Amino acid sequence: MTENSQQQPTAPHIELPTQYAPADVEGPLYERWVERGYFEADEKSDKPPYTVVIPPPNVTGSLHLGHAFEHTLIDALTRRKRMQGFETLWQPGMDHAGIATQNVVERELGKEGKSRHDLGREAFVERVWQWKGESGGQISGQMRRLGDGVAWNRERFTMDEGLSQAVQTIFKRLYDDELIYRAERIINWCPRCLTAISDIEVEYQDDDGELVSMKYGEGDDTIVVATTRAETMLGDTAVAVHPSDERYRHLIGTLIRLPLTNRSIPVVADEHVDPEFGTGAVKVTPAHDPNDFEIGQRHDLPAITVMDEHAVITVPGPFQGLDRLEARSAIVAALRAEGRIVAEKRPYVHSVGHCSRCKTTIEPRLSLQWWVKVGPLAKAAGDAVRDGRVTIHPQEMEKRYFDWVDNLHDWCISRQLWWGHRIPVWYGPDGEVVCVGPDDEPPTGEGWHQDTDVLDTWFSSGLWPFSTLGWPERTESLATFYPNSVLVTGYDILFFWVARMMMFGLYAMDGTPPFHTIALHGMVRDQFGKKMSKSFGNAVNPLDWMDKYGSDALRFTLARGANPGVDVPIGEDWVQGSRNFANKIWNATRFALMNGATVDGPLPEASRMSATDRWILSRLNSVVAEVDALYDDYQFAKLADTLFHFAWDEVFDWYVELSKTTFQAGGEPAEVSQRVLGEVLDVTLRLLHPVVPFVTETLWTTLTGGESVVIADWPKDSGFRDAGAEREIESLQSVITEVRRFRADQGLQPGQRVPARLTLDGTALVPHEAAIRQLLRLQPEGAEFSATATLPVAGASVALDLSGTIDVAAERKRLAKDLAAAEKEKAQAEAKLGNEAFLAKAPDQVVEKIRARLTKAEADIARIGAQLDRLPQV
């Protein structure tokens, strides 16, 4: 029924071990795949290309569950495409992670009692490279454990020679196109990391602070302003009011005294001020607030920096040398002593920016930095999605993307670090500025020096889709594998990374976007939906679960939770359940091999097959079509769930069980079913392989004798459907399910045999009598048979003699007691829901619980009533 069914070699019918041991299988299997070059990509191939880049993990760390989740999805996509005949490249590599890596190495130096300044720049950078060499292999090892099918021979690092050339090239081009410039602007400064950071590297949280209202000026010419950062008043150079605010019209253009200083500052009129907020007057500190900086630019105000890079006050006077928080308290106390404090509010909860890496409170600071003029680049990035060249999935994420790129501010790209791509600009003794490309010789001579800053990490990682393929050289790899087919990444770095790659890709590659599709996924959370964090005590090392349950179990659990753009809850019991699924696949395949399942030769003609055989093949082809459609829509959770229920419920629990009677009977029907079962397992294992690669590889090669499922053909829908067989087996399933439910309700043990009379005439179930009796443990009726319960189902009738198995009188008494309890529960719930006074006062969640109790009581009454009806009268 599938293209592959006639291509398999004769399978060696060997027995599998009784139990699946992932630890014994996974490592050797992965190394075999790598040694045979299955994951390598050939740019000279005539196959259609399929390219995905790995979101490069930071060289500082190890894989966490979020990485494992993302890698599972990418690996599933690339394994399927490889099986479909694509020249598949999954590009691996790591990011140098400027700030994070420098922090790690500086902490190591601190343990030796040293700082980077003790070593000097060159020696420190060498120390970082040494650390990278010792620690960088950890992530690669974990990726192998997970089963990542990446092209290891193409592994890249954002600081390697080729990528450094790409960084220098694009910097030079942007600089020459006047899209990179140097200017003094307000930046986000981290006093701990001692560097500028971009807007998207700032995390905002509500902190307890203080709001202080203070009086500027004297007598009738006073103005009250409020601030949460009183220490910045030392750098105030104006007070701003709205031009139409009548309260302050007489003061506009005048000078007022700034407390605690010997300065007078002007009152300026600016449209930015909201006259309805607070007193309608704001202090203006151009060197320490981005909005104030803009006001200062409009009114030609001086910008006075009052803190150094460590956030220590530098203004001469009593506050000099104090940390910003110490100065805040001291300045408020001094203002209070002068009688200038009008109001103080503590605690005052407000949003405060923190460094995303070290969590230190950010200090807005006027600084001379390098910037990318993002206007034209961001417009191009927005247009590529609007005109359909790039598709964002799920579509509802487009709005977040447009909200970002349509309102993007110029990007500060310089960082005051030593580890990273150093800015390729040289300064001369007479103020010369020279930007040097990779083919240029830097200027030399007395007084010439290179800029000391390095580039933001996102600058180099923004080049990743094409720099990893050899750009700026026009390589064969670039021609074949650019643009990427899809980018799979978290919605949390839509702004950090995705937008950067879009801007740079369109700019560097002549308007060709870096990928056709952006498939966004959510964040991994614990089983209660809470963010995973070491501080919360709920962080999980994925290696622990892989060691305990196997990599396939972790992968399948993650895939089953991967709804597009939605966060993924995960708990250990879910991984254990996936381990049980892997064991189920193993045991079912082992049973099949022991019973002669085979892939030898073509499938028999449909006319030789039983309805059970035709049913499972019809369902198999439907599942192939469904899984293909779900893959193409990036619906990983749905495709994993579809495969789970098809494999477990339909193949293992129904087809295998129904086939047992056929195998026992032998003959031609058994031979047909052996071939059908082999076909179904062959296709099912191939469908499952991209998500659970290890167990499927072991089973598929054993079943088929093929070299590797990694390079096997992806299953195709043959178009075979048999609606009649599907209806017939659905009827059979209904009979078996209903009788099993009745047996359980009566307290019968699963293996307990019961005399029964089957009336199947006139239905399609006649050929299935033996299977029905075997699966339901039903004995022939015998001479003493007396029907005590009759179940009509699917047009058939099953009469059971329970006289020798249960005490009917006692069972009726027990059920009557349960029925009375359910009716009482129903009456109580109805009474509460009918009480208007109760409904008016009760919380919504209480009312919902009572409604749920009523629904359950009604269901219990119907169920128990049906059980009583089936029992004979005594």
Side-chain angles (χ1 to χ4, degrees):
M1 289 302 163
T2 65
E3 184 178 277
N4 203 55
S5 62
Q6 299 185 32
Q7 298 178 352
Q8 299 302 329
T10 300
H13 293 294
I14 60 174
E15 289 191 9
L16 291 165
T18 56
Q19 289 185 327
Y20 176 51
D24 297 337
V25 170
E26 293 174 354
L29 266 188
Y30 187 84
E31 291 309 314
R32 190 181 313 153
W33 292 335
V34 173
E35 288 167 7
R36 293 179 177 178
Y38 293 156
F39 306 139
E40 294 175 10
D42 181 7
E43 60 267 20
K44 296 181 174 65
S45 171
D46 57 2
K47 297 178 182 179
Y50 185 82
T51 316
V52 185
V53 293
I54 193 172
N58 288 353
V59 69
T60 54
S62 58
L63 295 188
H64 51 64
L65 268 181
H67 290 118
F69 170 56
E70 186 167 76
H71 289 205
T72 294
L73 304 187
I74 301 174
D75 197 42
L77 289 174
T78 52
R79 283 179 182 269
R80 171 177 174 255
K81 286 295 182 180
R82 190 177 293 111
M83 295 172 75
Q84 286 182 314
F86 285 77
E87 192 62 34
T88 302
L89 168 61
W90 182 10
Q91 173 68 55
M94 285 180 286
D95 192 283
H96 66 278
I99 296 177
T101 304
Q102 180 156 321
N103 283 345
V104 168
V105 178
E106 286 198 79
R107 282 197 297 271
E108 292 298 313
L109 285 175
K111 295 176 184 177
E112 303 170 13
K114 298 178 182 177
S115 73
R116 61 184 165 118
H117 300 284
D118 294 324
L119 272 66
R121 182 168 193 145
E122 186 175 338
F124 176 77
V125 171
E126 182 60 34
R127 178 70 175 260
V128 181
W129 276 108
Q130 178 186 341
W131 177 89
K132 186 262 182 186
E134 296 169 355
S135 304
Q138 184 176 0
I139 290 173
S140 298
Q142 291 169 325
M143 289 170 62
R144 284 174 159 82
R145 281 291 312 275
L146 192 64
D148 286 1
V150 300
W152 288 113
N153 62 323
R154 292 173 176 264
E155 187 175 12
R156 303 304 298 267
F157 179 55
T158 51
M159 287 278 287
D160 68 29
E161 184 177 351
L163 270 64
S164 294
Q165 183 183 24
V167 168
Q168 197 171 352
T169 299
I170 201 163
F171 187 100
K172 171 69 171 172
R173 291 187 187 179
L174 290 165
Y175 180 86
D176 290 345
D177 287 344
E178 299 184 348
L179 292 173
I180 281 183
Y181 63 94
R182 195 181 191 213
E184 198 172 39
R185 299 277 184 84
I186 293 288
I187 47 93
N188 303 298
W189 181 264
C190 176
R192 160 62 183 80
C193 297
L194 298 180
T195 182
I197 63 174
S198 65
D199 291 343
I200 52 179
E201 294 171 299
V202 179
E203 293 179 349
Y204 287 90
Q205 67 183 47
D206 287 341
D207 286 357
D208 286 345
E210 62 181 9
L211 181 67
V212 178
S213 298
M214 48 196 180
K215 186 167 55 177
Y216 286 9
E218 305 292 346
D220 293 336
D221 294 339
T222 59
I223 297 180
V224 174
V225 297
T227 183
T228 58
R229 300 163 65 221
E231 68 278 10
T232 63
M233 60 88 60
L234 299 175
D236 287 358
T237 56
V239 170
V241 299
H242 195 273
S244 62
D245 194 332
E246 293 294 336
R247 294 171 295 178
Y248 305 116
R249 186 180 294 275
H250 66 291
L251 291 176
I252 294 174
T254 66
L255 297 174
I256 60 173
R257 179 173 174 265
L258 178 66
L260 308 182
T261 71
N262 293 319
R263 294 190 289 117
S264 292
I265 58 176
V267 178
V268 299
D270 196 278
E271 297 281 350
H272 170 77
V273 180
D274 180 3
E276 303 298 323
F277 182 78
T279 63
V282 296
K283 59 190 287 297
V284 181
T285 321
H288 291 278
D289 183 274
N291 292 323
D292 292 3
F293 178 80
E294 298 297 331
I295 294 175
Q297 292 288 293
R298 288 192 289 272
H299 298 279
D300 198 24
L301 299 174
I304 301 174
T305 300
V306 301
M307 286 177 242
D308 66 11
E309 59 185 7
H310 298 280
V312 171
I313 301 298
T314 56
V315 177
F319 310 111
Q320 187 174 13
L322 295 180
D323 170 82
R324 56 181 165 172
L325 297 181
E326 297 171 332
R328 185 175 302 170
S329 299
I331 287 171
V332 170
L335 290 169
R336 191 183 299 115
E338 287 191 6
R340 291 189 173 274
I341 298 296
V342 176
E344 298 178 66
K345 184 176 182 179
R346 297 187 187 87
Y348 178 72
V349 179
H350 62 130
S351 181
V352 177
H354 296 261
C355 174
S356 61
R357 290 176 177 83
C358 70
K359 311 308 176 186
T360 301
T361 300
I362 289 302
E363 188 62 45
R365 186 168 186 256
L366 187 62
S367 181
L368 184 62
Q369 302 283 347
W370 285 95
W371 303 81
V372 171
K373 187 184 296 183
V374 299
L377 302 174
K379 182 182 183 303
D383 290 345
V385 175
R386 287 189 170 95
D387 63 26
R389 282 176 289 158
V390 177
T391 300
I392 294 180
H393 187 88
Q395 189 176 2
E396 54 266 27
M397 287 288 181
E398 280 187 4
K399 183 179 184 302
R400 296 182 65 176
Y401 177 79
F402 291 136
D403 285 347
W404 180 255
V405 297
D406 292 348
N407 299 285
L408 203 55
H409 296 131
D410 283 2
W411 172 20
C412 177
I413 56 171
S414 45
R415 299 291 181 267
Q416 289 64 55
L417 304 170
W418 287 356
W419 172 245
H421 294 282
R422 194 164 174 182
I423 289 175
V425 172
W426 270 253
Y427 305 105
D430 298 317
E432 302 96 332
V433 178
V434 176
C435 181
V436 175
D439 299 323
D440 301 330
E441 288 293 330
T444 58
E446 186 176 350
W448 283 93
H449 64 280
Q450 187 178 358
D451 196 299
T452 56
D453 289 351
V454 301
L455 288 162
D456 179 11
T457 296
W458 297 105
F459 190 95
S460 52
S461 59
L463 314 181
W464 191 248
F466 52 93
S467 63
T468 52
L469 298 173
W471 187 93
E473 300 300 323
R474 293 291 173 173
T475 63
E476 285 188 88
S477 289
L478 189 65
T480 301
F481 295 116
Y482 186 92
N484 284 201
S485 306
V486 61
L487 172 73
V488 180
T489 191
Y491 64 72
D492 56 315
I493 58 172
L494 180 63
F495 318 125
F496 284 90
W497 190 43
V498 180
R500 310 303 194 207
M501 287 190 290
M502 286 286 282
M503 291 191 296
F504 283 163
L506 289 159
Y507 174 80
M509 297 300 294
D510 303 319
T512 302
F515 18 74
H516 297 301
T517 301
I518 302 169
L520 298 171
H521 59 72
M523 310 287 289
V524 177
R525 298 182 178 272
D526 70 14
Q527 64 266 44
F528 306 109
K530 190 174 182 180
K531 180 180 178 181
M532 285 191 170
S533 167
K534 289 181 181 178
S535 61
F536 295 156
N538 63 351
V540 174
N541 183 343
L543 289 177
D544 293 341
W545 282 351
M546 287 191 277
D547 288 342
K548 195 170 183 180
Y549 302 111
S551 299
D552 285 333
L554 176 63
R555 289 170 61 116
F556 195 73
T557 305
L558 291 166
R560 273 192 98 179
N563 289 297
V566 178
D567 288 347
V568 183
I570 185 172
E572 185 170 1
D573 54 337
W574 303 344
V575 185
Q576 185 175 353
S578 295
R579 188 272 313 273
N580 295 343
F581 178 52
N583 289 342
K584 184 79 170 180
I585 302 170
W586 183 272
N587 292 333
T589 306
R590 184 170 177 271
F591 165 86
L593 290 170
M594 291 171 64
N595 283 275
T598 180
V599 297
D600 295 347
L603 278 170
E605 296 295 324
S607 59
R608 296 176 56 202
M609 296 181 191
S610 67
T612 307
D613 293 332
R614 287 181 279 113
W615 159 73
I616 197 62
L617 289 174
S618 180
R619 287 292 305 127
L620 177 68
N621 279 286
S622 294
V623 168
V624 169
E626 185 177 353
V627 168
D628 271 333
L630 291 170
Y631 260 116
D632 291 341
D633 198 33
Y634 304 99
Q635 297 280 355
F636 297 99
K638 289 182 180 179
L639 71 88
D641 208 50
T642 296
L643 288 170
F644 174 86
H645 287 294
F646 174 70
W648 192 307
D649 300 344
E650 297 184 76
V651 178
F652 306 149
D653 278 358
W654 282 109
Y655 182 70
V656 168
E657 290 298 317
L658 289 170
S659 298
K660 285 181 178 178
T661 54
T662 306
F663 294 149
Q664 289 169 0
E668 184 183 359
E671 293 177 1
V672 170
S673 290
Q674 286 168 339
R675 180 64 187 90
V676 170
L677 179 54
E679 177 77 5
V680 171
L681 286 175
D682 168 22
V683 174
T684 301
L685 290 170
R686 283 186 279 144
L687 288 173
L688 283 165
H689 173 72
V691 182
V692 284
F694 293 107
V695 68
T696 52
E697 171 81 339
T698 305
L699 296 175
W700 187 86
T701 52
T702 302
L703 172 71
T704 68
E707 178 184 335
S708 172
V709 70
V710 176
I711 55 172
D713 291 339
W714 180 253
K716 293 181 180 179
D717 175 12
S718 70
F720 176 80
R721 301 290 190 278
D722 192 325
E726 291 196 34
R727 287 193 298 271
E728 183 173 326
I729 301 305
E730 284 172 6
S731 296
L732 175 61
Q733 290 171 328
S734 297
V735 170
I736 293 172
T737 301
E738 187 64 24
V739 176
R740 279 177 173 169
R741 184 181 296 117
F742 177 75
R743 287 175 57 107
D745 288 342
Q746 305 311 313
L748 296 177
Q749 295 300 314
Q752 191 171 354
R753 296 194 170 275
V754 177
R757 177 188 300 138
L758 304 185
T759 305
L760 308 177
D761 296 343
T763 72
L765 298 173
V766 174
H768 302 287
E769 179 169 354
I772 292 172
R773 286 190 177 277
Q774 178 168 317
L775 292 175
L776 292 174
R777 306 295 190 268
L778 302 180
Q779 295 175 335
E781 51 193 279
E784 303 294 324
F785 180 81
S786 174
T788 59
T790 301
L791 286 74
V793 57
S797 175
V798 180
L800 304 173
D801 182 356
L802 304 177
S803 57
T805 56
I806 65 170
D807 184 337
V808 176
E811 185 64 15
R812 291 191 71 88
K813 184 176 181 180
R814 182 185 69 80
L815 289 172
K817 182 178 179 182
D818 290 346
L819 181 62
E823 289 172 338
K824 181 179 180 182
E825 176 74 3
K826 177 186 175 185
Q828 290 176 341
E830 287 178 333
K832 287 188 176 181
L833 294 174
N835 185 333
E836 294 296 334
F838 169 78
L839 293 176
K841 296 179 181 179
D844 290 344
Q845 60 267 32
V846 173
V847 175
E848 284 305 313
K849 284 184 179 180
I850 294 171
R851 289 197 178 111
R853 283 169 49 193
L854 175 61
T855 300
K856 182 179 183 303
E858 290 173 339
D860 288 343
I861 291 168
R863 176 179 55 81
I864 297 167
Q867 290 176 245
L868 283 168
D869 290 343
R870 291 171 181 154
L871 287 174
Q873 298 294 329
V874 293

